[in-house]
Amino acid sequence: MLTLNPEAIDLAALRQLWAGAAASLDNASMDRVRAAAASVERIVASGETVYGINTGFGLLANTRIPPERLAELQRNLILSHSCGLGDMLPRHTVRLMIVLKLLGLGRGFSGVRPLVIEALQALLDKDAMPLIPAQGSVGASGDLAPLAHLIAALLGEGRIDVAGDVLPAKDALARLGMSPLELGPKEGLALINGTQASTAIALDALFTAERVFGAALGAGALSIDALKGSIKPFDPRISAARGQPGQIRVAAEIRALLDGSEILASHGRCGKVQDPYSFRCQPQVMGAALDLLVNAARTLTIEAGAVTDNPIVFEDEDTAISGGNFHAQPVAFAADIIAMAMCEVGSISERRTAVLIDPKMSGLPAFLVDDGGANSGLMIPQVTQAALVAENRSLAFPASVDSVPTSAGQEDHVSMAPIAARKAAQIAKNVAGIVGVELIAAAQGVDYHAPLKTSPKLQLLHANVRGLSPRLETDRYWADEMAALQSAVLKGEAASPFSI
């Protein structure tokens, strides 16, 4: 059980939470929650008009709501905003959304009662994940629709997946021994204002990208041995002269992966001057991508513990100030950066595969198969890579530069963060497939250099590949092997663990 301190959340903890670690807020957070809830009670009792506490929302912000209708106001807010469409978000993403919502509320600026925290915590503890449509948020005024579906489930509306069994929300709550939640002043608004859906999807894309990036490093190093490529471009002095941190790290990683390779040692004085860019420029390209992922990780780590609802309650003065922390522009930029970085990781991987299957470039049999002509070898798996690369290029166009005004012009600039995040997640998945094909090609190329062996580290990678895709002798059905390798990359099982 991780004890969450929203004021000191870090990437390692978020990675554990993404992987399913149990968690709950620390005592200091609950003290802050109680203090803010008491402040909201005092504001209501004072009769002061405060947005979201006793007014309508958006363009209706100037409409005062009488005290006897405040509970109705908050319930109607949730129901009216539960209007998403599309496929349901994955369970692990919904789980991360709940954790992030707890972190934001735990800062003590939202004014919800402890029982709201307890209801959200119960969903985590009982593995009960509300079904949340992926589409419907523009990433401003909070992720309104996705978060409304999350909270509607606690009200007994919608559906809940209880450990894999999907039930109507009322039935699920009854099975869990929970009563439908009745919202107090501001609570509905506090729960649906916020960037937790966008941030959860973006973190999912980030941590998936982290695994894919590690596999791509291994694939790139194995491809160097398959090509009998040069180690010279990875000389630390070259990268030090430029000074880019990602480049320095990638060059060091590739040197370490190739250390001890008999294949590499066999051609040290071959006279070959330069390899294609996709081989020798890996530190420059992959390193630049790594730097972007690091920057995105910093933004998303800050956002994970941020106060992003509205208005923000300052309990020391019993004031609630309306601002714009719900605007998810930082998340949108971070997600678009992940998308662009991973697009290039996939692009350079496909180019290495194209070199390996081309006998003019690699010196290996055409399409890495004997008896070519009767056999097509890796001809068409590379075509699949090309299709995924092309798809990624379309998906990588930034969503963050778009805006469609909503709420009768009151919300006239929006971030499109959830769209950016969902695209980044899809690109990362696509790149896992691209890298999977490169691993097949690189392993096949290395086999042609037997009895020479690759390095000890790359022998382990080679063995992982061969466990899912045997050496190619004659043409066979490819799709299952490619899917298995894509899955292994996504699960972090194809290569040694890599952390941003």
Side-chain angles (χ1 to χ4, degrees), residues 191-479:
L191 290 166
I192 66 171
N193 264 188
T195 65
Q196 288 79 28
S198 297
T199 305
I201 300 167
L203 282 169
D204 179 46
L206 175 72
F207 292 134
T208 300
E210 188 175 53
R211 290 176 174 178
V212 176
F213 191 92
L217 283 176
L222 196 63
S223 290
I224 290 170
D225 255 2
L227 186 69
K228 285 193 170 180
S230 174
I231 193 68
K232 292 179 181 178
F234 309 100
D235 188 306
R237 294 171 293 182
I238 293 175
S239 294
R242 192 174 201 181
Q244 297 289 353
Q247 176 178 333
I248 292 168
R249 185 174 176 189
V250 167
E253 291 278 350
I254 292 176
R255 290 196 309 275
L257 286 167
L258 286 164
D259 186 43
S261 168
E262 294 176 1
I263 298 172
L264 189 65
S266 72
H267 59 91
R269 297 183 180 276
C270 65
K272 188 176 182 181
V273 178
Q274 289 184 337
D275 296 322
Y277 285 1
S278 57
F279 289 78
R280 65 181 162 113
C281 293
Q282 288 184 70
Q284 290 77 14
V285 176
M286 296 286 285
L290 178 57
D291 285 336
L292 292 182
L293 294 177
V294 169
N295 288 337
R298 182 175 62 248
T299 295
L300 296 177
T301 300
I302 294 170
E303 194 74 3
V307 179
T308 58
D309 65 302
N310 181 64
I312 294 175
V313 176
F314 297 93
E315 57 87 15
D316 56 339
E317 297 181 358
D318 284 347
T319 58
I321 302 177
S322 184
N325 278 5
F326 49 66
H327 200 297
Q329 199 71 45
V331 181
F333 283 143
D336 278 336
I337 284 171
I338 294 168
M340 288 186 285
M342 292 310 295
C343 186
E344 286 305 287
V345 170
S347 179
I348 197 170
S349 173
E350 180 275 329
R351 284 294 82 201
R352 289 191 296 267
T353 306
V355 169
L356 292 180
I357 65 174
D358 183 346
K360 301 185 298 297
M361 298 289 288
S362 68
L364 298 167
F367 304 110
L368 298 172
V369 68
D370 297 322
D371 193 20
N375 293 284
S376 296
L378 286 169
M379 179 189 296
I380 306 306
Q382 185 267 331
V383 173
T384 300
Q385 281 186 313
L388 292 172
V389 167
E391 181 177 317
N392 285 350
R393 287 171 181 164
S394 296
L395 290 171
F397 184 87
S400 57
V401 300
D402 190 17
S403 180
V404 178
T406 60
S407 192
Q410 176 74 7
E411 297 155 7
D412 58 349
H413 184 278
V414 299
S415 73
M416 303 300 182
I419 298 169
R422 285 191 288 111
K423 293 197 300 139
Q426 182 60 53
I427 288 173
K429 181 179 179 181
N430 289 350
V431 177
I434 295 168
V435 171
V437 172
E438 184 188 359
L439 285 168
I440 294 172
Q444 187 76 2
V446 163
D447 286 345
Y448 277 111
H449 302 314
L452 296 175
K453 295 179 180 179
T454 188
S455 70
K457 288 184 177 180
L458 292 179
Q459 286 179 50
L460 293 175
L461 177 58
H462 181 276
N464 289 344
V465 175
R466 284 288 172 251
L468 298 171
S469 179
R471 178 182 168 88
L472 179 63
E473 304 290 349
T474 59
D475 282 347
R476 61 177 184 254
Y477 186 83
W478 273 119

Side-chain angles (χ1 to χ4, degrees), residues 98-255:
I98 296 172
V99 172
L100 295 179
K101 179 52 76 175
L102 286 173
L103 286 168
L105 297 175
R107 291 286 302 278
F109 292 95
S110 301
V112 303
R113 294 164 296 166
L115 69 85
V116 174
I117 303 295
E118 293 163 4
L120 289 168
Q121 184 67 49
L123 294 180
L124 290 182
D125 295 343
K126 300 175 187 293
D127 192 27
M129 300 296 112
L131 268 61
I132 300 177
Q135 295 172 301
S137 173
V138 295
S141 289
D143 289 314
L144 297 172
L147 290 170
H149 280 279
L150 171 62
I151 305 309
L154 289 174
L155 306 184
E157 302 286 347
R159 292 176 292 164
I160 300 177
D161 179 341
V162 182
D165 191 5
V166 176
L167 301 169
K170 284 185 179 179
D171 296 340
L173 293 176
R175 176 184 292 189
L176 299 171
M178 298 172 63
S179 299
L181 183 64
E182 294 184 5
L183 297 172
K186 192 187 180 294
E187 288 179 341
L189 189 60
L191 290 166
I192 66 171
N193 264 188
T195 65
Q196 288 79 28
S198 297
T199 305
I201 300 167
L203 282 169
D204 179 46
L206 175 72
F207 292 134
T208 300
E210 188 175 53
R211 290 176 174 178
V212 176
F213 191 92
L217 283 176
L222 196 63
S223 290
I224 290 170
D225 255 2
L227 186 69
K228 285 193 170 180
S230 174
I231 193 68
K232 292 179 181 178
F234 309 100
D235 188 306
R237 294 171 293 182
I238 293 175
S239 294
R242 192 174 201 181
Q244 297 289 353
Q247 176 178 333
I248 292 168
R249 185 174 176 189
V250 167
E253 291 278 350
I254 292 176
R255 290 196 309 275

